[in-house]
Amino acid sequence: MQAVDANAAGRGTRCRTGQRTFPSVNGAMSSWFWTAANRRGTIEFDTMWWAGYSSLWMTFALIWAIAASLSSGRSVPDMLLYGVVGMSTAGIMGLAVRRHSATVPLNWRSARFYRTHLLGLAAFSVVYACSWLPLEMARGGVRAALGYASPALPWSAMMGSWLYLMVAGMFYAERDHAALRLQEEAAGQAQLLAQQAQLAALRSQVN
């Protein structure tokens, strides 16, 4: 089973399942089993990831609605609509942040790292802060939207910046964890291959 592909130094090690370089010592095992198991595990992980990601933002929407209701005197169901709109917008932008963070390595000494994330933070904050304006315009027209925006926009922009930092940090941590797990799997697979090679050599000497 070919499971380890050593790349250039500094790029880490990558595992690949579904390929073999020599028969298993304990008996032949078809490669389709590994491919199918890997595909099934990937689908299950994707489903769990999306369910967890969506649940996280809906939880934030509920918390926001409760806090906004206590501070404004409006009912929780009324504010929940604003919470769902705002957090759904943040969740969609969070997917862009995830993709963006994949192209910008975590490097505290890189000017590009700070420049790109400052631009991303500014855009995220502005879009998040303005996400409720169409709802206010639909309910009370432009005057109602402007009346809502004047006290709410600064606070919403600040909250948007916090959400951006949280999302970016979460995705960097996720990526580091995945890289560490991949290295551990590669090391374990390499050890297994070495043991199988030794046993195969012993078997050939015995035979």
Side-chain angles (χ1 to χ4, degrees), residues 124-200:
F124 191 103
S125 301
V126 170
V127 174
Y128 174 80
C130 297
S131 61
W132 295 287
L133 294 182
L135 188 59
E136 282 293 325
M137 291 180 65
R139 287 191 164 190
V142 177
R143 181 175 298 180
L146 293 176
Y148 172 82
S150 56
L153 276 181
W155 163 252
S156 297
M158 184 180 299
M159 186 172 180
S161 65
W162 295 342
L163 289 174
Y164 179 90
L165 294 174
M166 181 199 71
V167 169
M170 179 179 68
F171 287 139
Y172 275 117
E174 176 193 39
R175 192 165 291 106
D176 288 345
H177 176 73
L180 179 61
R181 184 176 60 183
L182 190 61
Q183 290 178 1
E184 292 176 348
E185 291 177 355
Q189 195 73 0
Q191 184 178 6
L192 176 62
L193 288 174
Q195 293 174 352
Q196 289 182 339
Q198 292 176 358
L199 291 175

Side-chain angles (χ1 to χ4, degrees), residues 42-134:
T42 301
I43 293 173
E44 291 175 354
F45 174 78
D46 288 344
T47 302
M48 292 177 59
W49 190 92
W50 281 108
Y53 187 75
S54 302
S55 300
L56 177 66
W57 287 109
M58 290 304 100
T59 301
F60 286 165
L62 179 59
I63 295 173
W64 185 95
I66 294 173
S69 175
L70 293 175
S71 62
S72 65
R74 300 168 70 173
S75 65
V76 173
D78 186 28
M79 300 309 297
L80 184 59
L81 179 59
Y82 289 86
V84 170
V85 170
M87 294 305 166
S88 297
T89 303
I92 294 172
M93 290 191 297
L95 298 177
V97 175
R98 186 189 192 207
R99 190 176 196 78
H100 178 66
S101 63
T103 63
V104 183
L106 180 62
N107 185 357
W108 301 110
R109 298 181 178 180
S110 171
R112 176 174 176 264
F113 173 80
Y114 291 102
R115 182 174 61 253
T116 54
H117 279 294
L118 284 175
L119 292 174
L121 185 146
F124 191 103
S125 301
V126 170
V127 174
Y128 174 80
C130 297
S131 61
W132 295 287
L133 294 182

